[in-house]
Amino acid sequence: MNRKPRAPLPAPVRALLRNFRAQRPLRGGSLLITVFGDSIAPRGGAVTLGSLIRLAAPFGLTERLVRTSVARLAREGWLAGKRSGRRSEYRLTRGGGERFAEATQRIYAESPREWDGRWTLLVLPSSRPQRAQLRESLKWLGFGQLSPSLLAHPGCSPGQARHWLRNLDGAADALLLRSLGGDLAADRRLAAQGWDLDELARRYRRFLARFAPVGSAVRSRGAPPQTAFLVRTLLIHEYRKIHLQDPLLPPALLPRDWVGTAAYALCRRLYARVFADAETYLSATAHRLHRRLPVANAAAHARFGGIARR
């Protein structure tokens, strides 16, 4: 039986693929993390290795690179595998699922609109050999570094910070404090000291320049399923790399007309356009060892404030 030829990819989507494939080194594990977090986690969290190889192929990842990357993610505690004959299936570990859940909450949720003027301060012990690594982990959670031993966060409560610290090596002796800023001008100076907002803005502008043309190319009526999956995956892959380093400061601490707001709006709009068609591609391409993937859960449809079901 002759297969219907696939429609050519729109030029902006081809440009996205070229940019991704041109990266050196080509980080297969990072893309697979995106695929697991965005596509597989809401559909049961488990998928065969063969499915991952098929899903990754259009991005330029070879079978060997996928196998190597999956093995490394398993060693790092993200994934756990099981075999059935010559076939294998991988699922998120409990720890991997928890890390995905925390990242998901940040990626798909709108930034806070209100702020009570309070800061959560974290004083790190000066004698810890892991302090540099701990600082980097805290920056990924939105903390800004004010000095080698002092970090600040305007959005989380001490209780949330304690929950994060329980999962970070070397954080057991850190001191948590709650502080109220003197005035808004001082708070803005503190924000400028703790975060490089200029660099973050440059990265958001590059994101907009790359993905705005895709929004024009992908019609609201729907895209071919594979095209939709490519766009959705690259959209979240590139957005999360920026957004997970965004402290999500409240508007009072940000420059006027903050570019991150426009980036979120574009991501939300484009994601909604391709979500359903990408799900069609996933259903046809990926599966478990002995059954199909379940449909996406309600949390997936609640991303970016809610995605209409077809």
Side-chain angles (χ1 to χ4, degrees), residues 5-74:
R6 285 199 179 109
L9 293 174
V13 181
R14 293 200 304 271
L16 291 180
L17 280 173
R18 281 197 305 271
N19 288 331
F20 176 79
R21 293 169 178 170
Q23 298 176 84
R24 293 294 180 270
L26 186 58
R27 301 188 182 279
S30 180
L31 183 77
L32 292 176
I33 285 289
T34 299
V35 170
F36 255 97
D38 184 65
S39 297
I40 305 303
R43 300 190 63 164
V47 70
T48 63
L49 178 59
S51 297
L52 288 175
I53 291 169
R54 289 190 294 276
L55 292 173
F59 299 95
L61 272 62
T62 64
E63 178 177 339
R64 180 179 180 182
L65 179 55
V66 173
R67 290 180 180 275
T68 302
S69 300
V70 167
R72 184 171 63 252
L73 291 172

Side-chain angles (χ1 to χ4, degrees), residues 48-50 67 81-90 288-290:
T48 63
L49 178 59
R67 290 180 180 275
K82 70 176 183 179
R83 296 188 65 85
S84 177
R86 299 180 62 182
R87 302 167 66 219
S88 56
E89 177 183 89
Y90 285 86
R288 302 280 303 272
L289 275 175
H290 304 295

Side-chain angles (χ1 to χ4, degrees), residues 241-263:
K241 289 193 295 185
I242 307 170
H243 198 65
L244 288 179
Q245 295 190 47
D246 186 337
L248 304 183
L249 297 174
L253 301 179
L254 289 169
R256 183 173 296 178
D257 298 324
W258 173 238
V259 66
T261 304

Side-chain angles (χ1 to χ4, degrees), residues 93-106:
T93 62
R94 179 176 179 180
E98 290 175 352
R99 283 182 280 181
F100 271 124
E102 289 182 358
T104 296
Q105 186 175 4
R106 283 175 57 82

